[in-house]
Amino acid sequence: MILVTGGTGLVGAHLLLHLTENEQQIRATYRQTNSIQKTKDLFILYQKHNQFDCIEWVQADINDIPALEKAFEGIQFVYHCAGLISYDPADEEKLRKTNIEGTANIVNLCLAKSVSRLCHVSSIAALGDLAPQEKEITETTEWNPEAYHSDYAISKYGAEMEVWRGQQEGLNVIVVNPGIIFGPGFWEQGSGAFFTSVKERLPFYTNGTTGFVGITDVVRIMIRLMENNKVGERYTLVAENLTFKEVIFEIAENLNVRKPQREAKPWMLSLAWRLDWFLATFLNRKRKLSKYSANALTSSETISNQKIATTFNFEFQSIRSVIKEVISLQSN
């Protein structure tokens, strides 16, 4: 039997959509009952109503050991998709608790229950930092503990350390590091903010660069890695390195809305995150723009996908076609 943690998130839900095509025994975890509807809506969107009924749902927070023990009964393969994404410094403790301690719990139960393989969904945020002579980030780029990282990046790096600790203790592991993932069904959270913000007439764009990938490519690669027993390795999943301007303009064009007219310069974002901190501190509200996010929007990173492309001779779907697909499905 296969266990998918975080079955109500973007990656987990789409993974379930693909896994159920093969009529395998699938179990998925969720935290709140109403969140299951998001996954069900995704199956309805793809007209896969019958497949959804094949999933066995278990309520289990990844820090709730007794609940997890029940979820792990009879499990042979685990896809660990559950995690917290936040760039609000106020969420540091939650990030460590969920991403590091939660992953440690998953690893420990995999070892205790003699699970055959674990596929852990990490992030490009957990990849290393370029040395002066390096031009692109790969799976082997070294993490510099003295460099500035967001709390989210640190938590995902810490989660990976727990996975590699599991490998040293005899667990067969696979780690994937996706870029910013685009996919239908989850516009109200995570990367869906790109689409909702542009739809609401986002006034600014930035020229920072990072890696993007479509959700279908992510889950297909995860399944192939598990089926081919490619253990003890990590794989960066990035279709293209694009500027935020290119992505935002492409979304605007497909939504048929006005493209942002002004570039947000680094000095503007520097002022913006400080103002956001002030308002969040004195009005007791969530941060909308952190220092890390402001820097990321204007920094440029080139991330290599050569390893996974070579391993499977894999051709990624272009981000332009991913954006068109996402908007087309959401409009139906």
Side-chain angles (χ1 to χ4, degrees):
M1 178 174 273
I2 298 171
L3 175 66
V4 176
T5 70
T8 60
L10 174 66
V11 177
H14 280 268
L15 179 61
L16 289 170
L17 187 69
H18 284 73
L19 287 173
T20 52
E21 289 179 351
N22 298 322
E23 299 182 355
Q24 301 177 79
Q25 288 184 300
I26 311 292
R27 185 179 295 155
T29 66
Y30 69 96
R31 292 180 61 207
Q32 298 176 337
T33 304
N34 58 2
S35 63
I36 296 178
Q37 187 62 45
K38 294 186 296 184
T39 303
K40 187 174 183 178
D41 289 342
L42 181 69
F43 277 70
I44 293 172
L45 184 67
Y46 281 94
Q47 299 180 357
K48 306 287 185 179
H49 312 68
N50 294 334
Q51 288 180 206
F52 179 81
D53 296 331
C54 298
I55 304 167
E56 177 188 339
W57 290 95
V58 176
Q59 189 169 18
D61 187 286
I62 56 175
N63 282 302
D64 183 345
I65 304 300
L68 280 178
E69 286 182 336
K70 293 180 181 179
F72 267 80
E73 291 177 1
I75 294 299
Q76 187 178 7
F77 304 102
V78 175
Y79 291 89
H80 180 37
C81 307
L84 175 64
I85 301 174
S86 175
Y87 292 96
D88 187 340
D91 288 334
E92 178 185 3
E93 185 176 346
K94 291 180 182 178
L95 285 163
R96 290 177 180 272
K97 184 74 176 176
T98 302
N99 295 344
I100 300 177
E101 293 184 32
T103 300
N105 293 333
I106 297 299
V107 169
N108 291 339
L109 280 165
C110 284
L111 290 165
K113 301 293 185 179
S114 300
V115 167
S116 295
R117 287 192 285 282
L118 165 68
C119 179
H120 170 65
V121 181
S122 186
S123 165
I124 56 171
L127 295 174
D129 305 281
L130 287 176
Q133 72 278 9
E134 295 176 323
K135 294 184 179 180
E136 63 178 10
I137 297 173
T138 70
E139 292 84 354
T140 58
T141 302
E142 292 188 13
W143 175 276
N144 180 3
E146 297 183 359
Y148 176 67
H149 301 99
S150 68
D151 293 322
Y152 171 68
I154 293 170
S155 73
K156 294 302 283 186
Y157 177 77
E160 282 195 29
M161 293 304 100
E162 292 295 338
V163 174
W164 299 125
R165 185 261 302 173
Q167 181 191 30
Q168 292 175 347
E169 296 179 22
L171 178 62
N172 290 320
V173 304
I174 299 161
V175 175
V176 293
N177 298 76
I180 295 176
I181 306 173
F182 285 159
F186 292 81
W187 273 22
E188 76 284 359
Q189 63 191 67
S191 60
F194 277 84
F195 296 88
T196 54
S197 296
V198 173
K199 189 174 183 179
E200 294 170 1
R201 304 296 197 275
L202 184 71
F204 297 98
Y205 65 85
T206 65
N207 275 308
T209 304
T210 193
F212 295 85
V213 65
I215 185 61
T216 299
D217 285 341
V218 172
V219 298
R220 283 178 176 169
I221 289 171
M222 289 168 62
I223 293 170
R224 286 186 67 179
L225 287 169
M226 289 283 269
E227 291 177 344
N228 286 272
N229 198 22
K230 297 288 186 180
V231 299
E233 300 284 347
R234 77 197 296 217
Y235 297 88
T236 300
L237 309 186
V238 168
E240 297 178 75
N241 293 279
L242 300 169
T243 66
F244 291 107
K245 177 184 178 180
E246 290 174 312
V247 170
I248 289 169
F249 277 31
E250 186 67 30
I251 292 173
E253 187 172 317
N254 280 275
L255 285 173
N256 197 27
V257 298
R258 185 181 181 184
K259 298 175 182 177
Q261 301 298 300
R262 296 185 62 191
E263 178 186 357
K265 302 288 187 180
W267 67 266
M268 296 168 65
L269 290 169
S270 180
L271 289 176
W273 77 255
R274 287 175 169 83
L275 176 61
D276 183 69
W277 170 85
F278 179 85
L279 294 174
T281 301
F282 292 98
L283 297 180
N284 193 29
R285 66 163 175 77
K286 291 281 292 182
R287 294 286 299 275
K288 296 181 179 179
L289 182 68
S290 67
K291 178 181 179 182
Y292 177 84
S293 298
N295 290 339
L297 288 169
T298 56
S299 64
S300 294
E301 294 179 339
T302 301
I303 303 169
S304 172
N305 66 6
Q306 189 61 40
K307 183 175 180 179
I308 192 63
T310 301
T311 299
F312 289 134
N313 193 26
F314 192 87
E315 292 187 14
F316 285 90
Q317 183 181 1
S318 72
I319 298 304
R320 171 174 289 184
S321 65
V322 170
I323 290 171
K324 288 182 179 179
E325 181 180 320
V326 170
I327 293 174
S328 175
L329 282 168
Q330 291 289 154
S331 300
N332 292 336

